[in-house]
Amino acid sequence: MKNSNKGLNHDEPILFEIGGMDKTGVDLNEPTFEENLIGDCFEDREIGLPGLSEPESIRHYVRLSRKNYSIDAGLYPLGSCTMKHNPRLNEKLARLKGFSEVHPLQPLSTCQGALELIDEISIWLKELTGMKAVTMTPKAGAQGELCGMLAIKKAIEARNECHRTKVLVPDSAHGTNPATAAFLGFDVVTIKSDKNGRLNFDDFKENVDKNFAAAMITNPNTCGLFEDEIIEIANYIHDAGGYLYCDGANFNALVGKVRPGDLGIDAMHINLHKTFSTPHGGGGPGSGPVVFSDILKEFCPAPLLKKDEDNYYLVENHNDKDIDKSFGRLCVFHGQMGMFVRALSYMMSHGSDGLRQVSEDAVLNANYIKSSLEDILTPAYEGYCMHEVLFNDDFLSGTGVETIDFAKALIDKGYHPMTIYFPLVVHGALLVEPTETESKNSIDQFIETIRELASKTQDGEEFFKKAPIYTPIRRLDETKAARNPVLRWQKNDVIAAE
Amino acid sequence: MRYLPLTKNDREEMLSTIGANNINELFSNIAEKVSINPKFNLPNHKTEMEVEKHLSLLSDKNLHADNSSFFIGGGSYKHHIPASVDHIIQRSEFLTSYTPYQPEISQGTLQYLYEFQTQVSLLTGMDISNASMYDGSTAAAEAVSMAKRITKRNGVILSNTIHPHYADVIKTVSGIKDTDFIYNRKFSIEIDHLFNEVDDNTACVVVQNPDFFGSCYDLSSLSKFVQSKGALLIVVVTEVLSLGMMKSPGTMGADIVACEGQSLGNPMNFGGPYVGLLSTKNKYLRQIPGRIVGESEDVDGKKGFVLTLSAREQHIRREKATSNICTNSGLCSLAFTIHLTLLGEKGFKRLSRLNHESALNLKEKILKIPEVKLLNKSFFNEFTIELPIKGKVFVDRMAEKGVLAGIPVSRLINNNKELDNFIVVASTETNTEDDMNSYIESANEVLR
């Protein structure tokens, strides 16, 4: 194999080119049974799984890991993603055997500590949000949305108002909002944002009619702005017989400072991997508990955690009378326990006082970036922002440089880019979320880098168009990948898709 | 506060750059509407030592697989995880990175996902796989939605022997009306009844293999029959290690396979996080939900990987997306793929056989207990027994003796008295002779 390594940057072939059918990194005893009881479907087949010894495996994955950017290595200003520091205490505690080696269907008498932990995190979430009930089982934020909307659907059915099928979603919402509502058979109507980056209340009112079921509103919204009219909107929704679902993805801006329950919402999911620091892990696992108002709580999914005088217990089957109005079940067991341990560890570490400091610092950092860049970039909206600041691409106009080019140039400067082209309501959007776990030095250096790049756009586009150049691989052809999908390795490199 | 780097001075300087007098000014538009800084009935911050103490005490209250004789399965299994798996998944670059939306600085994640997709396709015997789902049950629900889109039919037939909570999840989150399901939740270890249920409105038939009670099936004739009616066969697998001793679902004709991957690399974690595997045929490629990694090349012609086919997904398609799914189970799929790489073909098949052997041994011993009957004709690493007393009573009493003896069927199917005396018992490579002897001794005492 030709050596194309560059210093610390090693090329790493795929597993199927380096592994062997006769290699293994696990020593196992030889089974000795003679006859199996698998029955008709028994087969001693050739699967084709290459193996590696332990040293080879470690090297393979370590070399791969070095091709990734990470929050541990640098500021990760992805707006709407909340890439904050992941405390290692959380990792340690999630690995305690009393949590990690416990089976979800053990007799309840043998897992009281695990159930108590779920109760504790439930109490924290209810208190911090000011809501009446919480369900811990949703596996991720998008499943939390599904959970909230299923409860709303069930509530509408319980009122015998199945004609209510219309769900209003602002154009700045995450794609999961309309996707969730549509998936459940609701008719999605998109509501425009106004010139201040907030939901257009007049447009909203015009779309509320007898078929109105619910609105899904993100607050703070994806422009990084608080929906100032949220209470008026909530009242309007309730007067019209509908429900307010709040996308809580941006709860990091409010935690400890403002209770969503005071804003008139009926259901909201919380991304534990954002606000409560459970690691993003390269794309999951997430965890998306949902808090409910009094009017929706009876529709919560199974299982339900309850306590009698001495013991915790679970109501697991939705024909149990305690949860006979439940909309059903979201996952086979009790949700992302490993994430609950991490999140509770984080909440206790910060405490009530520290969590308020979290949202204050997150908002402070974002506004500091905004103020430090507003003369050279173009903020999309005036006034203070919340935990993230949104710029449009006006500052690039006439330079030939596009948002994507600017983002890729930032990579060469050692940063993961901000979120780009989202939200859709702003042209060439750049959404920056520094989070509270960045130091002032770190943020100052980021600001300095952005200023330098922004000035450089005046010197022509070439530098930006060819970026990045210092990465293990340069810009990839995404069109080719989609047009001619090769989704797995095949012997002799046969094209995989028809 | 140890996780917050800003000092008091920093904050003051920054506020002055912003031109705000104090931090509350940044929240003033909210304060006009509701009170900010509410008083919470929650404790203030704690030291690392205090937090660790508190959670350790909770952890210590639980009996777990390493301080008991452990025989529970039912969709979550105790297996040994090589030490290097947990080491690698805690590397910063894997643990603390985001979804690989910027491929130039995410090739590590993208390449292991491409390898994962290939491994999963090989295991299930299918053409293609996605980059993972939340868990096996939600993968099964997504498979059912997929079948509805592909066949443009609504009817869903769930086998009676599917894990009851999987059935509940499918019914709740597949977006299909209750009345379009056929699911009797009768007890049966046969799947023949499925042949009679298929009609012109059937989108898919869902079977689990090995099923909830542990029995294994050759699904070849079922798949042919289902497909001859224009419907799809969805095969659910909750114990991925079974694929080391069985014909693959692909070989048996499955159209979509939804599998729980927890057994490789992932601890039981009281139910999550896990990793769902979803595989299908090439022709259904554009109906598969979730993230998918594909191969491409960069501007210099160098091979690399990207997230692809995003035209299916919510962030592009919004209300027209194939699913609202926005994440995979990244780190759990990494643990899965590392464990499988360490095992390799030889190790995987041997591990599979060790599991079967362990269950065979336990079966021999258990059947010597008077009045205990085996229900299965076939099984992999778990089976169902009928006891002379109620399963729940038996399991609770066994737990008092430090034996986690199985799952009472009545815990999951609570409306059928006939099932009260049944329990599902699993035995894996981790169970020693001593564990099995404790099981038998304790069971003899409990049943005496």
Side-chain angles (χ1 to χ4, degrees), chain A residues 11-13 15 24-25 28-30 32-33 37 41-45 47-49 51-52 57 60-61 64-65 67-72 76 81 86 92 95 97-98 100-103 105-106 110-111 113-114 116 120 127 139 142 173 175-176 180 182-183 228 231-232 257 280-284 316-317 319-320 329 332 336-338 348-350 352-353 356-357 361 365 384 408 440 472-475 477 482 486-489 496, chain B residues 1-3 11 13-14 24-25 29 33-34 37-38 40-41 43-46 52 54 59 61-63 65-66 73 76 78 86 90-98 102 104-106 108-109 111 114-115 117-118 122-123 126-127 135 137 165 172-173 243 245-247 268-270 272-273 282 285 294-300 302-303 308 314 318-319 324 328 330-331 341-343 345 349-350 353 356-357 378-379 411-412 414:
Chain A
D11 268 354
E12 182 60 13
L15 166 66
T24 188
L28 296 165
N29 295 327
E30 181 74 55
T32 56
F33 64 93
L37 269 182
C41 59
F42 170 74
E43 189 179 271
D44 186 8
R45 65 177 169 123
I47 305 170
L49 299 168
L52 291 173
S57 297
H60 179 63
Y61 293 105
L64 288 185
S65 75
K67 298 174 193 297
N68 275 0
Y69 193 86
S70 66
I71 180 72
D72 283 352
Y76 216 128
C81 301
N86 305 134
K92 181 179 178 183
R95 286 166 171 79
K97 288 191 170 181
S100 65
E101 297 294 337
V102 180
H103 192 285
L105 297 177
Q106 279 182 207
T110 66
C111 52
E116 190 174 340
E120 279 192 19
E127 182 70 15
K139 288 273 180 180
T176 47
T180 300
F183 186 75
D228 299 330
I231 291 178
E232 291 83 350
K257 196 79 184 163
H280 281 72
E316 288 178 287
N317 295 293
N319 54 358
D320 285 325
R329 171 180 278 275
V332 55
Q336 309 283 60
M337 178 68 172
M348 291 183 67
S349 293
H350 279 286
S352 179
D353 52 341
R356 179 171 303 161
Q357 193 69 58
D361 284 1
N365 282 349
Y384 295 135
K408 297 296 184 191
K440 181 166 179 295
I473 198 155
R474 296 183 55 210
R475 282 200 218 185
D477 187 344
V486 179
L487 311 180
R488 60 175 284 195
W489 177 87
Chain B
M1 206 296 137
R2 59 188 180 274
Y3 305 137
R11 292 183 183 116
E13 267 181 59
M14 293 164 84
N24 286 332
E25 203 176 309
N29 57 333
K33 305 284 179 163
V34 289
N37 304 328
F40 295 102
N41 186 19
N44 279 343
H45 67 275
K46 286 191 164 39
E52 189 167 339
H54 180 81
S59 165
K61 290 185 186 176
N62 304 318
L63 203 57
D66 287 347
S76 172
K78 166 64 184 167
D86 198 44
Q90 288 191 76
R91 281 188 65 88
S92 296
E93 299 87 341
F94 289 133
L95 185 75
T96 77
S97 52
Y98 194 69
Q102 296 290 341
E104 299 90 344
I105 45 174
S106 313
T109 299
Q111 184 170 330
Y114 180 83
E115 295 173 356
Q117 289 174 183
T118 308
L122 290 166
L123 282 173
M126 303 299 285
D127 298 329
D135 70 6
S137 66
H165 285 172
T172 306
V173 302
L243 297 174
M245 284 191 78
M246 288 166 65
K247 288 177 191 165
M268 294 180 291
N269 280 331
F270 201 50
N282 271 331
L285 169 66
E295 196 183 298
S296 187
E297 55 185 38
D298 76 356
V299 289
D300 300 328
K302 187 173 172 186
K303 196 170 101 173
T308 192
Q314 48 75 29
R318 299 180 77 83
E319 66 270 18
N324 79 337
N328 54 327
L331 212 61
T341 299
L342 283 163
L343 286 166
E345 179 94 3
K349 284 160 73 168
R350 185 177 281 193
R353 279 163 175 72
H356 188 52
E357 180 174 68
S378 62
F379 59 84
R411 179 160 174 188
L412 301 172
N414 63 351

Side-chain angles (χ1 to χ4, degrees), chain B residues 9 227 241 296 430 433:
Chain B
N9 275 342
Q227 285 150 9
L241 288 180
S296 187
T430 60
E433 187 82 19

Side-chain angles (χ1 to χ4, degrees), chain A residues 107-178:
Chain A
L108 297 174
S109 60
T110 66
C111 52
Q112 288 294 307
L115 297 173
E116 190 174 340
L117 183 135
I118 296 179
D119 189 45
E120 279 192 19
I121 188 171
S122 302
I123 290 167
W124 277 84
L125 291 176
K126 283 187 286 189
E127 182 70 15
L128 288 170
T129 56
M131 299 289 280
K132 295 288 185 209
V134 63
T135 184
M136 293 301 299
T137 59
K139 288 273 180 180
Q143 217 197 18
E145 292 177 31
L146 199 65
C147 174
M149 294 308 286
L150 277 164
I152 287 170
K153 196 173 180 190
K154 193 86 182 173
I156 289 171
E157 282 165 18
R159 283 162 47 186
N160 270 326
E161 294 187 341
C162 294
H163 62 277
R164 290 184 180 268
T165 56
K166 196 186 218 187
V167 170
L168 307 187
V169 182
D171 53 5
S172 61
H174 296 106
T176 47
N177 290 187

